Amino acid sequence: MTAPPTQQQPQTQQQPTRENHVTTGATVWLTGLPSAGKTTIAYELAGRLRAEGRRVEVLDGDEIREFLSAGLGFSREDRHTNVQRIGFVAELLARNGVLALVPVIAPFADSRDAVRERHQKTGTAYVEVHVATPVEVCSVRDVKGLYAKQAAGEISGLTGVDDPYEEPDSPDLRIESQDQTVQESAAAVHALLTERGLA
C-alpha cells in the first residue's frame, strides 16, 4: 500500500508594502457660504488623493439631502439634524480608513462642534477647513443661482444673506479661495493632511 501523498502547504507570497503607505482615515469638513468653492475644492483634492492610492469619498451636501436627509427643511433644527447625519456617516467612513471629504455649509458652530466631538470620542481624525470666500464673491459666482433667486424674492433663508452663518473661530485651515486657484486651494488642504500624517 502506498501512503497517501502529503499535501503541500500553499506558499503565501508576502505582498510588498509601500513605504509610507497611509491607511488612517479622516474627515475633512469644508464649511463656507453657498458658492464658496467647497465642493470644487473637495473633488480636486479627491482626485489628487485617489491618484496616490487613497480611499476617498466625497459626501456632497446636495446628494445627502436627496438620499439621506430627504424630507428635512432648512429650519435651524433640520439643518442641525442634517449635519449630524452627515457627521455620523463621515465618522463611520473615516474610522474604516477612508478619507471622507465633506463640502457642506453647516452654518451653526454648535452643529460643527457636535460632529468634531463625535470624532474625538472615537479617536477619529477630524479636520475643519473654512473656505472663507466673502459673500460678495460668492454672489457673483452664484453657482446654483441662489443669490439671484434671493435677490428676486423667490427664496428666503439663504445662508450668509438673510440666514446666519457662524464662521469657525479657529479652523484647522482657512482658505481664501478668491485669491488662489482651485488647485492651490486643494494643495493647501493636502499639505495639512500630509503634515498630520493623514495623506
PDB file of all heavy atoms in Angstrom, residues 30-45 102-105 129-134 137-138 141-144 147 175-178 180-183 185-186 189:
ATOM      1  N   LEU A  30     -15.319  70.765   4.908  1.00  0.00           N
ATOM      2  CA  LEU A  30     -15.127  72.073   4.277  1.00  0.00           C
ATOM      3  C   LEU A  30     -16.394  72.886   4.468  1.00  0.00           C
ATOM      4  O   LEU A  30     -17.424  72.600   3.851  1.00  0.00           O
ATOM      5  CB  LEU A  30     -14.798  71.919   2.790  1.00  0.00           C
ATOM      6  CG  LEU A  30     -13.502  71.164   2.475  1.00  0.00           C
ATOM      7  CD1 LEU A  30     -13.810  69.729   2.081  1.00  0.00           C
ATOM      8  CD2 LEU A  30     -12.726  71.844   1.362  1.00  0.00           C
ATOM      9  N   THR A  31     -16.342  73.872   5.347  1.00  0.00           N
ATOM     10  CA  THR A  31     -17.503  74.714   5.623  1.00  0.00           C
ATOM     11  C   THR A  31     -17.304  76.076   4.976  1.00  0.00           C
ATOM     12  O   THR A  31     -16.179  76.541   4.809  1.00  0.00           O
ATOM     13  CB  THR A  31     -17.736  74.854   7.146  1.00  0.00           C
ATOM     14  OG1 THR A  31     -18.837  75.757   7.371  1.00  0.00           O
ATOM     15  CG2 THR A  31     -16.515  75.393   7.869  1.00  0.00           C
ATOM     16  N   GLY A  32     -18.398  76.707   4.606  1.00  0.00           N
ATOM     17  CA  GLY A  32     -18.337  78.023   3.964  1.00  0.00           C
ATOM     18  C   GLY A  32     -19.684  78.349   3.357  1.00  0.00           C
ATOM     19  O   GLY A  32     -20.600  77.521   3.348  1.00  0.00           O
ATOM     20  N   LEU A  33     -19.804  79.542   2.835  1.00  0.00           N
ATOM     21  CA  LEU A  33     -21.066  80.011   2.257  1.00  0.00           C
ATOM     22  C   LEU A  33     -21.407  79.268   0.960  1.00  0.00           C
ATOM     23  O   LEU A  33     -20.534  78.641   0.361  1.00  0.00           O
ATOM     24  CB  LEU A  33     -20.960  81.513   1.965  1.00  0.00           C
ATOM     25  CG  LEU A  33     -20.755  82.436   3.169  1.00  0.00           C
ATOM     26  CD1 LEU A  33     -20.514  83.871   2.691  1.00  0.00           C
ATOM     27  CD2 LEU A  33     -21.954  82.389   4.104  1.00  0.00           C
ATOM     28  N   PRO A  34     -22.665  79.354   0.520  1.00  0.00           N
ATOM     29  CA  PRO A  34     -23.014  78.800  -0.797  1.00  0.00           C
ATOM     30  C   PRO A  34     -22.146  79.446  -1.877  1.00  0.00           C
ATOM     31  O   PRO A  34     -21.911  80.653  -1.841  1.00  0.00           O
ATOM     32  CB  PRO A  34     -24.494  79.199  -0.979  1.00  0.00           C
ATOM     33  CG  PRO A  34     -25.014  79.428   0.406  1.00  0.00           C
ATOM     34  CD  PRO A  34     -23.855  79.943   1.201  1.00  0.00           C
ATOM     35  N   SER A  35     -21.641  78.641  -2.805  1.00  0.00           N
ATOM     36  CA  SER A  35     -20.771  79.090  -3.905  1.00  0.00           C
ATOM     37  C   SER A  35     -19.390  79.549  -3.450  1.00  0.00           C
ATOM     38  O   SER A  35     -18.691  80.249  -4.178  1.00  0.00           O
ATOM     39  CB  SER A  35     -21.441  80.210  -4.743  1.00  0.00           C
ATOM     40  OG  SER A  35     -22.598  79.721  -5.384  1.00  0.00           O
ATOM     41  N   ALA A  36     -18.997  79.134  -2.245  1.00  0.00           N
ATOM     42  CA  ALA A  36     -17.659  79.497  -1.744  1.00  0.00           C
ATOM     43  C   ALA A  36     -16.561  78.712  -2.465  1.00  0.00           C
ATOM     44  O   ALA A  36     -15.407  79.142  -2.491  1.00  0.00           O
ATOM     45  CB  ALA A  36     -17.567  79.256  -0.241  1.00  0.00           C
ATOM     46  N   GLY A  37     -16.918  77.557  -3.031  1.00  0.00           N
ATOM     47  CA  GLY A  37     -15.925  76.720  -3.711  1.00  0.00           C
ATOM     48  C   GLY A  37     -15.629  75.419  -2.988  1.00  0.00           C
ATOM     49  O   GLY A  37     -14.711  74.689  -3.349  1.00  0.00           O
ATOM     50  N   LYS A  38     -16.435  75.098  -1.979  1.00  0.00           N
ATOM     51  CA  LYS A  38     -16.194  73.909  -1.141  1.00  0.00           C
ATOM     52  C   LYS A  38     -16.172  72.615  -1.956  1.00  0.00           C
ATOM     53  O   LYS A  38     -15.238  71.824  -1.853  1.00  0.00           O
ATOM     54  CB  LYS A  38     -17.290  73.796  -0.062  1.00  0.00           C
ATOM     55  CG  LYS A  38     -17.452  75.018   0.828  1.00  0.00           C
ATOM     56  CD  LYS A  38     -18.576  74.845   1.829  1.00  0.00           C
ATOM     57  CE  LYS A  38     -19.947  74.689   1.197  1.00  0.00           C
ATOM     58  NZ  LYS A  38     -20.384  75.881   0.422  1.00  0.00           N
ATOM     59  N   THR A  39     -17.213  72.409  -2.742  1.00  0.00           N
ATOM     60  CA  THR A  39     -17.352  71.151  -3.484  1.00  0.00           C
ATOM     61  C   THR A  39     -16.276  71.035  -4.561  1.00  0.00           C
ATOM     62  O   THR A  39     -15.692  69.960  -4.761  1.00  0.00           O
ATOM     63  CB  THR A  39     -18.762  71.054  -4.102  1.00  0.00           C
ATOM     64  OG1 THR A  39     -19.727  71.184  -3.050  1.00  0.00           O
ATOM     65  CG2 THR A  39     -18.963  69.727  -4.809  1.00  0.00           C
ATOM     66  N   THR A  40     -15.990  72.133  -5.242  1.00  0.00           N
ATOM     67  CA  THR A  40     -14.967  72.130  -6.292  1.00  0.00           C
ATOM     68  C   THR A  40     -13.615  71.752  -5.709  1.00  0.00           C
ATOM     69  O   THR A  40     -12.880  70.934  -6.281  1.00  0.00           O
ATOM     70  CB  THR A  40     -14.889  73.525  -6.962  1.00  0.00           C
ATOM     71  OG1 THR A  40     -16.197  73.926  -7.352  1.00  0.00           O
ATOM     72  CG2 THR A  40     -13.995  73.505  -8.182  1.00  0.00           C
ATOM     73  N   ILE A  41     -13.282  72.334  -4.560  1.00  0.00           N
ATOM     74  CA  ILE A  41     -12.006  72.022  -3.893  1.00  0.00           C
ATOM     75  C   ILE A  41     -11.994  70.559  -3.453  1.00  0.00           C
ATOM     76  O   ILE A  41     -10.993  69.855  -3.620  1.00  0.00           O
ATOM     77  CB  ILE A  41     -11.780  72.953  -2.680  1.00  0.00           C
ATOM     78  CG1 ILE A  41     -11.592  74.400  -3.147  1.00  0.00           C
ATOM     79  CG2 ILE A  41     -10.572  72.505  -1.853  1.00  0.00           C
ATOM     80  CD1 ILE A  41     -11.668  75.446  -2.040  1.00  0.00           C
ATOM     81  N   ALA A  42     -13.120  70.080  -2.906  1.00  0.00           N
ATOM     82  CA  ALA A  42     -13.204  68.694  -2.427  1.00  0.00           C
ATOM     83  C   ALA A  42     -12.953  67.702  -3.555  1.00  0.00           C
ATOM     84  O   ALA A  42     -12.199  66.733  -3.387  1.00  0.00           O
ATOM     85  CB  ALA A  42     -14.564  68.437  -1.784  1.00  0.00           C
ATOM     86  N   TYR A  43     -13.560  67.929  -4.717  1.00  0.00           N
ATOM     87  CA  TYR A  43     -13.371  66.996  -5.834  1.00  0.00           C
ATOM     88  C   TYR A  43     -11.953  67.068  -6.406  1.00  0.00           C
ATOM     89  O   TYR A  43     -11.390  66.049  -6.817  1.00  0.00           O
ATOM     90  CB  TYR A  43     -14.425  67.229  -6.922  1.00  0.00           C
ATOM     91  CG  TYR A  43     -15.742  66.552  -6.594  1.00  0.00           C
ATOM     92  CD1 TYR A  43     -16.862  67.295  -6.220  1.00  0.00           C
ATOM     93  CD2 TYR A  43     -15.855  65.163  -6.628  1.00  0.00           C
ATOM     94  CE1 TYR A  43     -18.060  66.668  -5.889  1.00  0.00           C
ATOM     95  CE2 TYR A  43     -17.051  64.528  -6.305  1.00  0.00           C
ATOM     96  CZ  TYR A  43     -18.149  65.283  -5.944  1.00  0.00           C
ATOM     97  OH  TYR A  43     -19.329  64.654  -5.613  1.00  0.00           O
ATOM     98  N   GLU A  44     -11.376  68.254  -6.419  1.00  0.00           N
ATOM     99  CA  GLU A  44      -9.984  68.411  -6.861  1.00  0.00           C
ATOM    100  C   GLU A  44      -9.052  67.637  -5.918  1.00  0.00           C
ATOM    101  O   GLU A  44      -8.151  66.913  -6.358  1.00  0.00           O
ATOM    102  CB  GLU A  44      -9.618  69.898  -6.887  1.00  0.00           C
ATOM    103  CG  GLU A  44      -8.167  70.197  -7.252  1.00  0.00           C
ATOM    104  CD  GLU A  44      -7.832  69.887  -8.703  1.00  0.00           C
ATOM    105  OE1 GLU A  44      -8.742  69.936  -9.571  1.00  0.00           O
ATOM    106  OE2 GLU A  44      -6.653  69.595  -8.986  1.00  0.00           O
ATOM    107  N   LEU A  45      -9.288  67.793  -4.618  1.00  0.00           N
ATOM    108  CA  LEU A  45      -8.481  67.099  -3.617  1.00  0.00           C
ATOM    109  C   LEU A  45      -8.687  65.583  -3.706  1.00  0.00           C
ATOM    110  O   LEU A  45      -7.723  64.803  -3.613  1.00  0.00           O
ATOM    111  CB  LEU A  45      -8.855  67.605  -2.213  1.00  0.00           C
ATOM    112  CG  LEU A  45      -8.160  66.938  -1.023  1.00  0.00           C
ATOM    113  CD1 LEU A  45      -6.646  67.124  -1.082  1.00  0.00           C
ATOM    114  CD2 LEU A  45      -8.708  67.501   0.292  1.00  0.00           C
ATOM    115  N   VAL A 102     -16.043  66.405   3.139  1.00  0.00           N
ATOM    116  CA  VAL A 102     -17.427  66.834   3.380  1.00  0.00           C
ATOM    117  C   VAL A 102     -17.591  68.324   3.058  1.00  0.00           C
ATOM    118  O   VAL A 102     -17.412  69.177   3.927  1.00  0.00           O
ATOM    119  CB  VAL A 102     -17.833  66.560   4.847  1.00  0.00           C
ATOM    120  CG1 VAL A 102     -19.314  66.834   5.047  1.00  0.00           C
ATOM    121  CG2 VAL A 102     -17.499  65.135   5.262  1.00  0.00           C
ATOM    122  N   PRO A 103     -17.937  68.650   1.805  1.00  0.00           N
ATOM    123  CA  PRO A 103     -18.159  70.051   1.453  1.00  0.00           C
ATOM    124  C   PRO A 103     -19.600  70.460   1.763  1.00  0.00           C
ATOM    125  O   PRO A 103     -20.465  70.456   0.888  1.00  0.00           O
ATOM    126  CB  PRO A 103     -17.875  70.084  -0.055  1.00  0.00           C
ATOM    127  CG  PRO A 103     -18.239  68.716  -0.529  1.00  0.00           C
ATOM    128  CD  PRO A 103     -18.032  67.768   0.626  1.00  0.00           C
ATOM    129  N   VAL A 104     -19.852  70.785   3.019  1.00  0.00           N
ATOM    130  CA  VAL A 104     -21.218  71.074   3.483  1.00  0.00           C
ATOM    131  C   VAL A 104     -21.195  72.367   4.297  1.00  0.00           C
ATOM    132  O   VAL A 104     -20.339  72.538   5.165  1.00  0.00           O
ATOM    133  CB  VAL A 104     -21.755  69.902   4.335  1.00  0.00           C
ATOM    134  CG1 VAL A 104     -23.083  70.250   4.979  1.00  0.00           C
ATOM    135  CG2 VAL A 104     -21.906  68.641   3.481  1.00  0.00           C
ATOM    136  N   ILE A 105     -22.145  73.258   4.033  1.00  0.00           N
ATOM    137  CA  ILE A 105     -22.166  74.580   4.680  1.00  0.00           C
ATOM    138  C   ILE A 105     -22.083  74.468   6.197  1.00  0.00           C
ATOM    139  O   ILE A 105     -21.228  75.094   6.816  1.00  0.00           O
ATOM    140  CB  ILE A 105     -23.442  75.364   4.284  1.00  0.00           C
ATOM    141  CG1 ILE A 105     -23.438  75.657   2.773  1.00  0.00           C
ATOM    142  CG2 ILE A 105     -23.521  76.685   5.066  1.00  0.00           C
ATOM    143  CD1 ILE A 105     -24.767  76.197   2.237  1.00  0.00           C
ATOM    144  N   VAL A 129     -11.941  72.791   7.665  1.00  0.00           N
ATOM    145  CA  VAL A 129     -11.413  73.763   6.716  1.00  0.00           C
ATOM    146  C   VAL A 129     -12.489  74.810   6.452  1.00  0.00           C
ATOM    147  O   VAL A 129     -13.604  74.466   6.044  1.00  0.00           O
ATOM    148  CB  VAL A 129     -11.005  73.083   5.382  1.00  0.00           C
ATOM    149  CG1 VAL A 129     -10.504  74.123   4.383  1.00  0.00           C
ATOM    150  CG2 VAL A 129      -9.949  72.013   5.622  1.00  0.00           C
ATOM    151  N   HIS A 130     -12.153  76.069   6.703  1.00  0.00           N
ATOM    152  CA  HIS A 130     -13.104  77.147   6.423  1.00  0.00           C
ATOM    153  C   HIS A 130     -12.754  77.751   5.062  1.00  0.00           C
ATOM    154  O   HIS A 130     -11.701  78.368   4.893  1.00  0.00           O
ATOM    155  CB  HIS A 130     -13.021  78.232   7.509  1.00  0.00           C
ATOM    156  CG  HIS A 130     -13.957  79.376   7.275  1.00  0.00           C
ATOM    157  ND1 HIS A 130     -13.749  80.632   7.784  1.00  0.00           N
ATOM    158  CD2 HIS A 130     -15.128  79.450   6.571  1.00  0.00           C
ATOM    159  CE1 HIS A 130     -14.744  81.427   7.406  1.00  0.00           C
ATOM    160  NE2 HIS A 130     -15.586  80.726   6.669  1.00  0.00           N
ATOM    161  N   VAL A 131     -13.629  77.515   4.096  1.00  0.00           N
ATOM    162  CA  VAL A 131     -13.461  78.137   2.781  1.00  0.00           C
ATOM    163  C   VAL A 131     -14.090  79.523   2.896  1.00  0.00           C
ATOM    164  O   VAL A 131     -15.297  79.709   2.741  1.00  0.00           O
ATOM    165  CB  VAL A 131     -14.118  77.286   1.669  1.00  0.00           C
ATOM    166  CG1 VAL A 131     -13.832  77.909   0.296  1.00  0.00           C
ATOM    167  CG2 VAL A 131     -13.590  75.851   1.717  1.00  0.00           C
ATOM    168  N   ALA A 132     -13.231  80.492   3.227  1.00  0.00           N
ATOM    169  CA  ALA A 132     -13.698  81.804   3.705  1.00  0.00           C
ATOM    170  C   ALA A 132     -13.914  82.812   2.576  1.00  0.00           C
ATOM    171  O   ALA A 132     -13.493  83.968   2.673  1.00  0.00           O
ATOM    172  CB  ALA A 132     -12.688  82.344   4.724  1.00  0.00           C
ATOM    173  N   THR A 133     -14.564  82.372   1.521  1.00  0.00           N
ATOM    174  CA  THR A 133     -14.838  83.265   0.401  1.00  0.00           C
ATOM    175  C   THR A 133     -15.886  84.300   0.813  1.00  0.00           C
ATOM    176  O   THR A 133     -16.946  83.925   1.323  1.00  0.00           O
ATOM    177  CB  THR A 133     -15.361  82.449  -0.801  1.00  0.00           C
ATOM    178  OG1 THR A 133     -14.524  81.303  -0.972  1.00  0.00           O
ATOM    179  CG2 THR A 133     -15.376  83.279  -2.071  1.00  0.00           C
ATOM    180  N   PRO A 134     -15.620  85.604   0.612  1.00  0.00           N
ATOM    181  CA  PRO A 134     -16.585  86.634   1.021  1.00  0.00           C
ATOM    182  C   PRO A 134     -17.911  86.506   0.266  1.00  0.00           C
ATOM    183  O   PRO A 134     -17.938  86.049  -0.875  1.00  0.00           O
ATOM    184  CB  PRO A 134     -15.884  87.952   0.648  1.00  0.00           C
ATOM    185  CG  PRO A 134     -14.452  87.606   0.448  1.00  0.00           C
ATOM    186  CD  PRO A 134     -14.415  86.183   0.009  1.00  0.00           C
ATOM    187  N   VAL A 137     -18.142  87.803  -3.294  1.00  0.00           N
ATOM    188  CA  VAL A 137     -17.576  86.950  -4.342  1.00  0.00           C
ATOM    189  C   VAL A 137     -18.513  85.774  -4.614  1.00  0.00           C
ATOM    190  O   VAL A 137     -18.766  85.417  -5.774  1.00  0.00           O
ATOM    191  CB  VAL A 137     -16.172  86.436  -3.926  1.00  0.00           C
ATOM    192  CG1 VAL A 137     -15.612  85.462  -4.969  1.00  0.00           C
ATOM    193  CG2 VAL A 137     -15.215  87.591  -3.709  1.00  0.00           C
ATOM    194  N   CYS A 138     -19.059  85.182  -3.555  1.00  0.00           N
ATOM    195  CA  CYS A 138     -19.987  84.053  -3.706  1.00  0.00           C
ATOM    196  C   CYS A 138     -21.203  84.449  -4.537  1.00  0.00           C
ATOM    197  O   CYS A 138     -21.671  83.679  -5.385  1.00  0.00           O
ATOM    198  CB  CYS A 138     -20.446  83.553  -2.334  1.00  0.00           C
ATOM    199  SG  CYS A 138     -19.138  82.843  -1.318  1.00  0.00           S
ATOM    200  N   ARG A 141     -20.274  84.514  -8.179  1.00  0.00           N
ATOM    201  CA  ARG A 141     -20.142  83.142  -8.705  1.00  0.00           C
ATOM    202  C   ARG A 141     -21.520  82.506  -8.852  1.00  0.00           C
ATOM    203  O   ARG A 141     -21.828  81.929  -9.886  1.00  0.00           O
ATOM    204  CB  ARG A 141     -19.313  82.280  -7.741  1.00  0.00           C
ATOM    205  CG  ARG A 141     -17.846  82.635  -7.685  1.00  0.00           C
ATOM    206  CD  ARG A 141     -17.132  81.736  -6.699  1.00  0.00           C
ATOM    207  NE  ARG A 141     -15.724  82.035  -6.565  1.00  0.00           N
ATOM    208  CZ  ARG A 141     -14.935  81.504  -5.654  1.00  0.00           C
ATOM    209  NH1 ARG A 141     -15.431  80.629  -4.785  1.00  0.00           N
ATOM    210  NH2 ARG A 141     -13.657  81.823  -5.596  1.00  0.00           N
ATOM    211  N   ASP A 142     -22.316  82.573  -7.800  1.00  0.00           N
ATOM    212  CA  ASP A 142     -23.712  82.106  -7.756  1.00  0.00           C
ATOM    213  C   ASP A 142     -23.944  80.833  -8.571  1.00  0.00           C
ATOM    214  O   ASP A 142     -24.777  80.797  -9.472  1.00  0.00           O
ATOM    215  CB  ASP A 142     -24.645  83.229  -8.229  1.00  0.00           C
ATOM    216  CG  ASP A 142     -26.067  83.057  -7.677  1.00  0.00           C
ATOM    217  OD1 ASP A 142     -26.262  82.183  -6.814  1.00  0.00           O
ATOM    218  OD2 ASP A 142     -26.965  83.796  -8.114  1.00  0.00           O
ATOM    219  N   VAL A 143     -23.184  79.793  -8.225  1.00  0.00           N
ATOM    220  CA  VAL A 143     -23.173  78.547  -8.993  1.00  0.00           C
ATOM    221  C   VAL A 143     -24.575  77.987  -9.223  1.00  0.00           C
ATOM    222  O   VAL A 143     -24.903  77.530 -10.315  1.00  0.00           O
ATOM    223  CB  VAL A 143     -22.296  77.488  -8.262  1.00  0.00           C
ATOM    224  CG1 VAL A 143     -22.276  76.183  -9.020  1.00  0.00           C
ATOM    225  CG2 VAL A 143     -20.877  78.022  -8.079  1.00  0.00           C
ATOM    226  N   LYS A 144     -25.439  78.047  -8.203  1.00  0.00           N
ATOM    227  CA  LYS A 144     -26.787  77.458  -8.325  1.00  0.00           C
ATOM    228  C   LYS A 144     -27.876  78.505  -8.527  1.00  0.00           C
ATOM    229  O   LYS A 144     -29.057  78.171  -8.504  1.00  0.00           O
ATOM    230  CB  LYS A 144     -27.099  76.631  -7.068  1.00  0.00           C
ATOM    231  CG  LYS A 144     -26.152  75.472  -6.852  1.00  0.00           C
ATOM    232  CD  LYS A 144     -26.425  74.834  -5.516  1.00  0.00           C
ATOM    233  CE  LYS A 144     -25.331  73.858  -5.146  1.00  0.00           C
ATOM    234  NZ  LYS A 144     -25.366  73.470  -3.747  1.00  0.00           N
ATOM    235  N   TYR A 147     -28.347  83.186  -5.022  1.00  0.00           N
ATOM    236  CA  TYR A 147     -28.276  84.599  -4.651  1.00  0.00           C
ATOM    237  C   TYR A 147     -29.218  85.426  -5.527  1.00  0.00           C
ATOM    238  O   TYR A 147     -29.879  86.345  -5.046  1.00  0.00           O
ATOM    239  CB  TYR A 147     -26.832  85.112  -4.765  1.00  0.00           C
ATOM    240  CG  TYR A 147     -25.901  84.507  -3.733  1.00  0.00           C
ATOM    241  CD1 TYR A 147     -25.169  83.354  -4.015  1.00  0.00           C
ATOM    242  CD2 TYR A 147     -25.760  85.077  -2.471  1.00  0.00           C
ATOM    243  CE1 TYR A 147     -24.319  82.784  -3.071  1.00  0.00           C
ATOM    244  CE2 TYR A 147     -24.913  84.516  -1.522  1.00  0.00           C
ATOM    245  CZ  TYR A 147     -24.195  83.367  -1.821  1.00  0.00           C
ATOM    246  OH  TYR A 147     -23.352  82.814  -0.885  1.00  0.00           O
ATOM    247  N   ILE A 175      -9.103  78.982   4.012  1.00  0.00           N
ATOM    248  CA  ILE A 175      -8.757  79.172   2.603  1.00  0.00           C
ATOM    249  C   ILE A 175      -9.468  80.403   2.055  1.00  0.00           C
ATOM    250  O   ILE A 175     -10.687  80.527   2.195  1.00  0.00           O
ATOM    251  CB  ILE A 175      -9.153  77.924   1.773  1.00  0.00           C
ATOM    252  CG1 ILE A 175      -8.225  76.755   2.102  1.00  0.00           C
ATOM    253  CG2 ILE A 175      -9.123  78.213   0.282  1.00  0.00           C
ATOM    254  CD1 ILE A 175      -8.612  75.471   1.417  1.00  0.00           C
ATOM    255  N   GLU A 176      -8.706  81.292   1.455  1.00  0.00           N
ATOM    256  CA  GLU A 176      -9.283  82.463   0.770  1.00  0.00           C
ATOM    257  C   GLU A 176      -9.342  82.089  -0.712  1.00  0.00           C
ATOM    258  O   GLU A 176      -8.423  82.392  -1.475  1.00  0.00           O
ATOM    259  CB  GLU A 176      -8.390  83.702   0.997  1.00  0.00           C
ATOM    260  CG  GLU A 176      -8.006  83.962   2.448  1.00  0.00           C
ATOM    261  CD  GLU A 176      -9.108  84.640   3.243  1.00  0.00           C
ATOM    262  OE1 GLU A 176     -10.085  85.113   2.628  1.00  0.00           O
ATOM    263  OE2 GLU A 176      -8.989  84.688   4.492  1.00  0.00           O
ATOM    264  N   SER A 177     -10.411  81.423  -1.102  1.00  0.00           N
ATOM    265  CA  SER A 177     -10.455  80.849  -2.449  1.00  0.00           C
ATOM    266  C   SER A 177     -10.473  81.899  -3.553  1.00  0.00           C
ATOM    267  O   SER A 177     -10.134  81.608  -4.695  1.00  0.00           O
ATOM    268  CB  SER A 177     -11.664  79.923  -2.596  1.00  0.00           C
ATOM    269  OG  SER A 177     -12.838  80.660  -2.840  1.00  0.00           O
ATOM    270  N   GLN A 178     -10.851  83.120  -3.204  1.00  0.00           N
ATOM    271  CA  GLN A 178     -10.892  84.176  -4.216  1.00  0.00           C
ATOM    272  C   GLN A 178      -9.489  84.630  -4.614  1.00  0.00           C
ATOM    273  O   GLN A 178      -9.313  85.298  -5.637  1.00  0.00           O
ATOM    274  CB  GLN A 178     -11.725  85.378  -3.719  1.00  0.00           C
ATOM    275  CG  GLN A 178     -11.082  86.221  -2.638  1.00  0.00           C
ATOM    276  CD  GLN A 178     -11.235  85.645  -1.230  1.00  0.00           C
ATOM    277  OE1 GLN A 178     -11.620  84.486  -1.066  1.00  0.00           O
ATOM    278  NE2 GLN A 178     -10.930  86.435  -0.226  1.00  0.00           N
ATOM    279  N   GLN A 180      -6.775  82.442  -4.896  1.00  0.00           N
ATOM    280  CA  GLN A 180      -5.932  81.367  -5.423  1.00  0.00           C
ATOM    281  C   GLN A 180      -6.746  80.434  -6.303  1.00  0.00           C
ATOM    282  O   GLN A 180      -7.979  80.475  -6.288  1.00  0.00           O
ATOM    283  CB  GLN A 180      -5.273  80.591  -4.278  1.00  0.00           C
ATOM    284  CG  GLN A 180      -6.252  79.999  -3.274  1.00  0.00           C
ATOM    285  CD  GLN A 180      -5.548  79.475  -2.016  1.00  0.00           C
ATOM    286  OE1 GLN A 180      -4.554  80.026  -1.577  1.00  0.00           O
ATOM    287  NE2 GLN A 180      -6.084  78.413  -1.447  1.00  0.00           N
ATOM    288  N   THR A 181      -6.053  79.597  -7.063  1.00  0.00           N
ATOM    289  CA  THR A 181      -6.737  78.657  -7.950  1.00  0.00           C
ATOM    290  C   THR A 181      -7.300  77.493  -7.124  1.00  0.00           C
ATOM    291  O   THR A 181      -6.911  77.288  -5.977  1.00  0.00           O
ATOM    292  CB  THR A 181      -5.765  78.084  -9.000  1.00  0.00           C
ATOM    293  OG1 THR A 181      -4.759  77.302  -8.327  1.00  0.00           O
ATOM    294  CG2 THR A 181      -5.098  79.185  -9.813  1.00  0.00           C
ATOM    295  N   VAL A 182      -8.183  76.729  -7.756  1.00  0.00           N
ATOM    296  CA  VAL A 182      -8.743  75.536  -7.109  1.00  0.00           C
ATOM    297  C   VAL A 182      -7.609  74.564  -6.766  1.00  0.00           C
ATOM    298  O   VAL A 182      -7.586  73.980  -5.680  1.00  0.00           O
ATOM    299  CB  VAL A 182      -9.772  74.842  -8.044  1.00  0.00           C
ATOM    300  CG1 VAL A 182     -10.228  73.518  -7.461  1.00  0.00           C
ATOM    301  CG2 VAL A 182     -10.965  75.753  -8.277  1.00  0.00           C
ATOM    302  N   GLN A 183      -6.656  74.434  -7.695  1.00  0.00           N
ATOM    303  CA  GLN A 183      -5.525  73.520  -7.470  1.00  0.00           C
ATOM    304  C   GLN A 183      -4.711  73.965  -6.253  1.00  0.00           C
ATOM    305  O   GLN A 183      -4.274  73.133  -5.448  1.00  0.00           O
ATOM    306  CB  GLN A 183      -4.622  73.470  -8.711  1.00  0.00           C
ATOM    307  CG  GLN A 183      -5.236  72.789  -9.930  1.00  0.00           C
ATOM    308  CD  GLN A 183      -6.274  73.646 -10.655  1.00  0.00           C
ATOM    309  OE1 GLN A 183      -6.333  74.859 -10.462  1.00  0.00           O
ATOM    310  NE2 GLN A 183      -7.093  72.999 -11.470  1.00  0.00           N
ATOM    311  N   SER A 185      -5.828  75.736  -3.699  1.00  0.00           N
ATOM    312  CA  SER A 185      -6.645  75.501  -2.502  1.00  0.00           C
ATOM    313  C   SER A 185      -6.575  74.029  -2.093  1.00  0.00           C
ATOM    314  O   SER A 185      -6.386  73.703  -0.915  1.00  0.00           O
ATOM    315  CB  SER A 185      -8.102  75.891  -2.763  1.00  0.00           C
ATOM    316  OG  SER A 185      -8.226  77.277  -2.999  1.00  0.00           O
ATOM    317  N   ALA A 186      -6.722  73.133  -3.083  1.00  0.00           N
ATOM    318  CA  ALA A 186      -6.660  71.692  -2.805  1.00  0.00           C
ATOM    319  C   ALA A 186      -5.270  71.307  -2.282  1.00  0.00           C
ATOM    320  O   ALA A 186      -5.149  70.484  -1.370  1.00  0.00           O
ATOM    321  CB  ALA A 186      -6.994  70.890  -4.065  1.00  0.00           C
ATOM    322  N   VAL A 189      -4.922  72.065   1.442  1.00  0.00           N
ATOM    323  CA  VAL A 189      -5.550  71.048   2.302  1.00  0.00           C
ATOM    324  C   VAL A 189      -4.690  69.791   2.307  1.00  0.00           C
ATOM    325  O   VAL A 189      -4.460  69.181   3.356  1.00  0.00           O
ATOM    326  CB  VAL A 189      -6.982  70.709   1.829  1.00  0.00           C
ATOM    327  CG1 VAL A 189      -7.647  69.730   2.790  1.00  0.00           C
ATOM    328  CG2 VAL A 189      -7.837  71.972   1.699  1.00  0.00           C
TER     329      VAL A 189
END
